[in-house]
Amino acid sequence: MSLCDAVASAKQLGLRVVVVSSAAIAAGIRPLGLDGRPTDIPTLQAAAAVGQGRLLARYGEVLKARGHVVAQVLLTQHDFVHRRQYLNARNTIERLLALDVIPIVNENDTVATDEIRFGDNDRLAALVANLIHAKMLVLLTDAAGVHAADPRTDPSSPVLDEVERITPELERAAGGRGSNLATGGMASKLAAAWVATFSGVGALVASASEDRVIERVAAGEKIGTYFHPRPQRASARRLWIAFAQPPVGTVIVDEGARRALAEQKRSLLPVGVTGVKGTFDAGATVDVATGDGAVFARGSSRFSSAELQAAKGVTSGEFKGREVIHRDHLLILDASDPAN
């Protein structure tokens, strides 16, 4: 396996390597006699239960032949949302690395529900990079890197060597998801790079078919598309809120509220809210956008969507002084913002 060769080579260079690998569900499809990827959650979980052991056994076999020991680490979103589980996961991976073991990380698809339907291992890899304070996140794909425009509609679009800031135009250029067995795609890689850079981790999107890609990256060679990390790392709490789970709604605010949040580092109050999109409970992760739909922040709402509909624009009564999103539970997504 070329990936295992690359991992072994990186280890020889003295690097600590964590592999985030999907394919547990795909590995379980054939043994179960299925024609393709299941669509219902119980069968997806069954395929993952069969495939995960086969996947780890294969990694163990190939890397053992190269003198290395592997360990299975299965994670879910709860391991990033709850602080005790977050610290336990970090301590486990750090200890494995200290023992010179290669952690093979995957989502725990045998018990996951929304993770299977909506999650992807690119996002998981970015969260793991944040978890262990990695220096580099390498996302391998079937493309040479991230193109300046969607190559499906503009085949002549060049691959970007470096990205200082992920823009809405770049997100649109990334397009949709990949194959019917995968849950990723270039859009997923871009979202993962976004998470990593907010974590203070550099991210690289490169082709898995490149010869000795990991070795060459470790040696400093320019391959694929490199995303520069933010100069100041966002706090773990804000990263959990912003990226550990997808937003379930959007809070629309006026210009005064946008300035208060983005420039004055204040909390969001009901008076600045002009609209609510989606249905959500108190404590849910929501995007914060201006009237033209531009998302500039993400946070944990102290109001349900129904409460917020009643409270928007109100300056008195039961809503007076109540914070919709506390500053400590808010992450400004504008990469030009130096302090979150």
Side-chain angles (χ1 to χ4, degrees), residues 11-339:
K11 292 285 290 179
Q12 288 179 346
L13 294 173
L15 300 178
R16 303 201 309 172
V17 180
V18 176
V19 176
V20 179
S21 173
S22 56
I25 293 173
I29 289 175
R30 182 176 293 180
L32 291 175
L34 302 174
D35 294 331
R37 183 184 174 91
T39 56
D40 64 290
I41 296 297
T43 309
L44 283 167
Q45 292 171 327
V50 172
Q52 183 60 44
R54 296 168 64 89
L55 180 66
L56 186 69
R58 183 59 176 156
Y59 273 115
E61 174 190 0
V62 176
L63 284 167
K64 180 181 178 181
R66 289 154 177 78
H68 299 290
V69 177
V70 304
Q72 175 176 265
V73 180
L74 298 178
L75 301 172
T76 68
Q77 288 184 357
H78 296 293
D79 296 310
F80 295 95
V81 174
H82 300 289
R83 180 169 176 77
R84 179 173 294 179
Q85 290 174 249
Y86 180 91
L87 294 175
N88 285 340
R90 184 173 67 190
N91 290 339
T92 297
I93 295 177
E94 289 287 354
R95 187 58 181 155
L96 288 170
L97 292 171
L99 292 169
D100 203 29
V101 175
I102 301 172
I104 308 295
V105 181
N106 197 359
E107 278 191 294
N108 192 355
D109 292 335
T110 60
V111 298
T113 51
D114 287 348
E115 288 86 348
I116 292 176
R117 188 174 300 167
F118 302 111
D120 60 70
N121 277 56
D122 295 323
R123 184 162 61 97
L124 174 61
L127 290 169
V128 170
N130 166 62
L131 180 78
I132 63 173
H133 296 181
K135 291 185 177 179
M136 172 78 78
L137 170 66
V138 179
L139 298 165
L140 299 179
T141 182
D142 58 0
V146 178
H147 291 259
D150 190 341
R152 293 172 297 183
T153 56
D154 184 4
S156 64
S157 174
V159 172
L160 299 171
D161 292 329
E162 298 180 69
V163 173
E164 292 283 352
R165 179 174 180 265
I166 298 173
T167 63
E169 291 77 18
L170 190 59
E171 289 183 284
R172 285 193 291 270
R177 290 187 171 188
S179 72
N180 60 347
L181 285 181
T183 54
M186 191 53 72
S188 171
K189 300 289 186 295
L190 195 64
W194 193 37
V195 175
T197 56
F198 268 90
S199 303
V201 178
L204 180 82
V205 176
S207 172
S209 62
E210 281 276 0
D211 184 43
R212 300 182 300 106
V213 58
I214 294 180
E215 294 173 69
R216 291 160 61 193
V217 169
E221 185 176 337
K222 288 189 176 182
I223 302 174
T225 303
Y226 177 70
F227 294 82
H228 289 270
R230 287 170 56 98
Q232 184 169 347
R233 179 190 180 98
S235 71
R237 176 182 292 276
R238 288 183 174 131
L239 287 166
W240 299 338
I241 291 168
F243 300 123
Q245 49 195 340
V248 294
T250 303
V251 178
I252 312 299
V253 301
D254 60 25
E255 177 58 20
R258 186 203 66 76
R259 288 197 303 270
L261 297 179
E263 299 173 14
Q264 301 170 21
K265 316 304 177 190
R266 295 170 62 183
S267 300
L268 176 61
L269 301 178
V271 65
V273 176
T274 60
V276 182
K277 292 183 179 179
T279 301
F280 50 87
D281 297 324
T285 298
V286 296
D287 280 334
V288 182
T290 54
D292 60 2
V295 174
F296 70 93
R298 186 173 294 173
S300 178
S301 174
R302 294 186 171 185
F303 286 64
S304 69
S305 53
E307 289 176 315
L308 197 50
Q309 285 284 8
K312 64 182 182 181
V314 174
T315 60
S316 60
E318 63 176 299
F319 302 118
K320 184 177 181 179
R322 286 184 60 186
E323 297 161 333
V324 178
I325 302 176
H326 189 276
R327 176 60 200 166
D328 291 343
H329 297 167
L330 181 79
L331 180 68
I332 303 300
L333 300 178
D334 181 357
S336 64
D337 177 44

